[in-house]
């Protein structure tokens, strides 16, 4: 007779989210994300996955970021037969993200195989999963809209609330009852978003919970205001354009790219930036943008109005160009004069952004603009840390372009915003807050900050530790 919690990913680090709630031995998984960072380590951890996938009873997906949904196809491949519960927008976006990963892995296998063959080396690396596994995983989704409570098994109920992080993102409130009648209500924030983000609604308050599993990505940081950030964005674009340079922005294809498009739209309308072309060079971002357009149920008031009343499209405008094909993408290499290029992957670990960095990072006229979190050991982090040279696809490049950072566009709450949301909970009832999804500095700062604010018990979740909830 027991209700227990442990983590198999996203504990003491920001990638690989996998939290497991076990009720009388029956396991429910919250998110099944991919580890990212140092290639070999990440690969090893991803292959280890959760033990006995076929014994998992249900899986809840909080949102479609790769570090939360990326290993679902592997779970299906290894024999998981149950449902993936997620909002409709999350299901659609996750489909794009997982398919993209399958394609990248297939390309890697081909490329690395050829490289090894050239050197006469043995090569037996296989992708973690392929497109067929993604199709299988897609067939296991059961979509649940926000605020529609649902029984998902013996004594288990879930309800999803707006997390304000990306389109479709959800906070999951789960009630579990074991055979002896003990009950616990647990909230999983997934990634907690912020108030006032464009397109999507703010993080919603949720009914009382006994335990909260809270993310801590920016547990030791405060974001600047969006208004100041818009001014800085305009300044960076104008200064770089005046030098004749390009602005290269690594951005996650989902949400961040659409938000940037939204901000550029505003800056152009307000005539705050010079008239320069803006390219979104990411097939996944293009697919994701079309998914944004078919999920008005996730929009905030402003976006709703723009679409329904003024028939404007916040996801497109004249100066904006999407490059879907490889040829269109390659043409950007020969582009003369100032331009903005937004491309993925957000942490520069894969994808077309690497080609744009190769072509632009050693030119002092250009600017690399960092707008998102860069995990340890990623190329994005090395650029953010202003290392003088970086290795990209095997070659060394001098970093001569300016490196600028704007954190205000972050999709994660900072510690003060986390508290603003947490303080709307019934704190008398809340027995403990479990901190996950953070690096050590962020976790320990948020831990002491919450204690100072009067939260009774705060626990930084550790690998290998199991916590009794009833
Ligand atoms: Zn996320």
């Amino acid at each position: 007779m027991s209700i227990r919690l442990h983590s198999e990913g996203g504990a003491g680090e920001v990638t690989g989210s996998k939290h497991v709630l076990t009720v009388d031995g029956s396991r429910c998984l919250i998110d099944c994300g991919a580890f990212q960072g140092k290639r070999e380590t990440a690969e090893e951890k991803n292959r280890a996955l959760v033990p006995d996938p076929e014994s998992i009873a249900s899986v809840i997906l909080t949102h479609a970021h790769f570090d939360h949904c990326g290993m679902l196809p592997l779970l299906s491949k290894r024999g998981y037969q149950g449902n993936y519960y997620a909002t409709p927008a999350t299901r659609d976006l996750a489909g794009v993200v997982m398919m993209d990963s399958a394609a990248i892995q297939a390309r890697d296998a081909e490329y690395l195989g050829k490289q090894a063959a050239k050197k006469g080396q043995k090569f037996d690396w296989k992708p973690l999963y392929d497109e067929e596994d993604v199709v299988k995983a897609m067939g296991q989704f059961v979509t649940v809209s926000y605020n529609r409570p649902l029984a998902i098994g013996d004594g288990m109920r879930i309800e999803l609330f707006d997390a304000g992080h990306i389109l479709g993102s959800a906070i999951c409130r789960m009630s579990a009852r074991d055979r002896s009648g003990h009950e616990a209500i647990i909230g999983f924030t997934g990634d907690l978003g912020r108030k006032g983000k464009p397109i999507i609604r703010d993080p919603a308050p949720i009914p009382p919970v006994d335990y909260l599993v809270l993310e801590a990505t920016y547990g030791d940081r405060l974001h600047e205001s969006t208004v100041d950030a818009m001014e800085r964005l305009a300044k960076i674009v104008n200064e770089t354009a005046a030098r004749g340079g390009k602005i290269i922005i690594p951005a996650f294809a989902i949400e961040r790219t659409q938000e940037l498009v939204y901000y550029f739209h505003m800056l152009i309308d307000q005539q705050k930036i010079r008239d320069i072309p803006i390219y979104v060079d990411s097939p996944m971002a293009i697919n994701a943008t079309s998914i944004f357009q078919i999920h008005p149920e996730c929009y905030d008031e402003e976006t709703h109005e723009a679409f329904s009343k003024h028939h404007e499209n916040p996801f497109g405008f004249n100066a904006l160009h999407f490059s879907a094909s490889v040829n269109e993408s390659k043409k950007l290499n020969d582009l003369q004069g100032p331009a903005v290029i937004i491309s993925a992957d957000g942490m520069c670990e894969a994808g077309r952004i690497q080609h744009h960095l190769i072509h632009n990072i050693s030119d002092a006229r250009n600017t690399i603009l960092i707008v998102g979190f860069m995990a340890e050991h990623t190329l994005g982090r090395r650029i953010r840390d202003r290392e003088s040279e970086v290795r990209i696809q095997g070659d060394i490049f001098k970093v001569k372009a300016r490196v600028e950072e704007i954190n205000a566009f972050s999709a994660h709450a900072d510690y003060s915003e986390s508290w603003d949301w947490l303080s709307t909970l019934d704190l008398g009832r809340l027995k403990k807050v479990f901190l996950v999804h953070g690096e050590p500095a962020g976790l320990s700062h948020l831990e002491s900050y919450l204690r100072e604010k009067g939260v009774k018990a705060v626990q930084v979740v550790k690998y290998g530790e199991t916590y009794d909830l009833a």
Side-chain angles (χ1 to χ4, degrees):
M1 266 42 71
S2 62
I3 302 175
R4 292 191 175 127
L5 174 78
H6 78 277
S7 286
E8 308 219 351
E13 61 186 322
V14 294
T15 67
S17 276
K18 279 176 218 78
H19 309 296
V20 189
L21 190 76
T22 307
V23 182
D24 293 334
S26 170
R27 294 189 298 156
C28 173
L29 189 60
I30 295 87
D31 290 335
C32 190
F35 288 101
Q36 291 162 288
K38 262 191 193 140
R39 202 184 167 106
E40 277 110 64
T41 324
E43 162 98 16
E44 198 178 306
K45 285 156 86 177
N46 283 330
R47 285 200 192 270
L49 202 66
V50 185
D52 311 325
E54 71 281 3
S55 74
I56 295 167
S58 47
V59 178
I60 291 134
L61 176 62
T62 61
H63 67 288
H65 274 149
F66 187 57
D67 62 321
H68 292 257
C69 77
M71 288 299 120
L72 293 179
L74 186 58
L75 208 59
S76 295
K77 181 181 172 179
R78 300 245 171 109
Y80 172 67
Q81 304 276 357
N83 297 334
Y84 297 127
Y85 296 98
T87 63
T90 293
R91 190 267 318 264
D92 292 350
L93 288 173
V96 172
V97 170
M98 298 185 298
M99 226 14 134
D100 184 69
S101 170
I104 289 173
Q105 293 180 58
R107 269 203 307 275
D108 279 359
E110 195 189 327
Y111 175 78
L112 295 170
K114 276 186 194 159
Q115 296 289 102
K118 264 190 225 164
K119 294 177 194 155
Q121 290 166 342
K122 210 173 133 241
F123 181 76
D124 54 8
W125 185 84
K126 292 239 168 9
L128 290 160
Y129 55 82
D130 61 21
E131 291 184 4
E132 268 179 48
D133 301 312
V134 176
V135 173
K136 192 171 172 212
M138 287 305 286
Q140 289 172 256
F141 271 85
V142 170
T143 59
V144 192
S145 296
Y146 294 119
N147 312 112
R148 311 293 300 175
L150 183 75
I152 62 163
D154 272 357
M156 297 269 265
R157 285 172 78 77
I158 57 165
E159 185 170 353
L160 304 179
F161 297 85
D162 249 305
H165 173 62
I166 65 167
L167 194 86
S169 65
I171 298 164
C172 178
R173 181 176 182 268
M174 191 184 303
S175 56
R177 187 186 302 132
D178 70 9
R179 276 194 292 270
S180 59
H182 288 129
E183 201 175 8
I185 300 182
I186 307 110
F188 292 88
T189 62
D191 285 356
L192 187 63
R194 315 172 57 200
K195 279 185 187 168
K197 279 175 64 63
I199 309 167
I200 55 169
R201 290 187 293 268
D202 295 348
I206 63 169
V209 294
D210 301 308
Y211 300 95
L212 181 72
V213 181
L214 174 69
E215 70 121 329
T217 313
Y218 284 105
D220 59 344
R221 302 266 282 270
L222 291 174
H223 301 314
E224 60 193 318
S225 85
T226 318
V227 181
D228 297 343
M230 293 276 287
E231 298 289 329
R232 272 191 64 211
L233 178 62
K235 190 162 175 270
I236 290 166
V237 169
N238 290 331
E239 283 177 0
T240 310
R243 294 197 298 271
K246 297 187 180 64
I247 301 99
I248 309 294
I249 312 181
F252 283 110
I254 292 175
E255 196 76 23
R256 186 56 39 81
T257 295
Q258 291 77 18
E259 274 176 28
L260 285 167
V261 164
Y262 180 99
Y263 287 128
F264 277 119
H265 197 167
M266 274 172 71
L267 289 174
I268 288 168
D269 274 357
Q270 298 164 0
Q271 297 181 324
K272 286 194 173 156
I273 53 172
R274 296 169 38 150
D275 195 13
I276 62 171
I278 296 163
Y279 294 89
V280 172
D281 184 33
S282 157
M284 179 160 53
I286 297 165
N287 291 336
T289 304
S290 58
I291 291 171
F292 270 64
Q293 289 174 327
I294 57 163
H295 284 290
E297 79 278 10
C298 300
Y299 296 165
D300 61 10
E301 201 69 14
E302 278 173 329
T303 309
H304 214 74
E305 264 195 20
F307 258 122
S308 56
K309 291 203 183 140
H310 308 297
H311 306 289
E312 279 176 16
N313 178 1
F315 308 117
F317 49 91
N318 286 341
L320 182 71
H321 309 274
F322 287 100
S323 39
S325 74
V326 174
N327 265 344
E328 286 170 311
S329 175
K330 280 189 177 151
K331 272 190 200 149
L332 296 181
N333 296 338
D334 308 322
L335 200 68
Q336 297 299 318
V340 174
I341 300 174
I342 304 168
S343 189
D345 155 293
M347 296 194 201
C348 310
E349 282 294 276
R352 292 182 181 176
I353 185 66
Q354 292 201 330
H355 295 281
H356 297 302
L357 291 170
I358 286 171
H359 283 93
N360 293 292
I361 201 164
S362 301
D363 185 336
R365 292 173 302 171
N366 299 333
T367 301
I368 315 294
L369 176 57
I370 309 283
V371 291
F373 189 82
M374 297 294 181
E376 283 176 325
H377 311 301
T378 60
L379 173 58
R381 178 68 156 252
R382 285 191 279 277
I383 295 172
R384 196 212 78 172
D385 290 347
R386 294 168 175 81
E387 291 188 7
S388 58
E389 44 185 45
V390 290
R391 182 185 291 272
I392 311 173
Q393 297 186 356
D395 294 315
I396 302 282
F397 295 87
K398 288 222 176 326
V399 183
K400 290 193 182 148
R402 292 190 193 190
V403 177
E404 302 273 2
E405 189 179 9
I406 300 180
N407 270 324
F409 301 138
S410 171
H412 295 268
D414 63 22
Y415 63 83
S416 156
E417 292 166 325
S418 295
W419 169 248
D420 283 348
W421 176 80
L422 206 158
S423 62
T424 63
L425 286 172
D426 178 351
L427 296 178
R429 164 126 182 211
L430 187 64
K431 291 179 190 153
K432 195 180 256 189
V433 175
F434 292 97
L435 297 181
V436 297
H437 202 285
E439 290 177 357
L443 290 162
S444 72
H445 182 268
L446 189 58
E447 182 187 12
S448 43
Y449 183 74
L450 293 182
R451 282 184 204 279
E452 267 170 42
K453 289 288 184 186
V455 177
K456 276 178 279 188
V458 188
Q459 171 75 54
V460 175
V461 173
K462 295 191 176 67
Y463 281 116
E465 278 186 17
T466 299
Y467 308 94
D468 271 314
L469 307 188

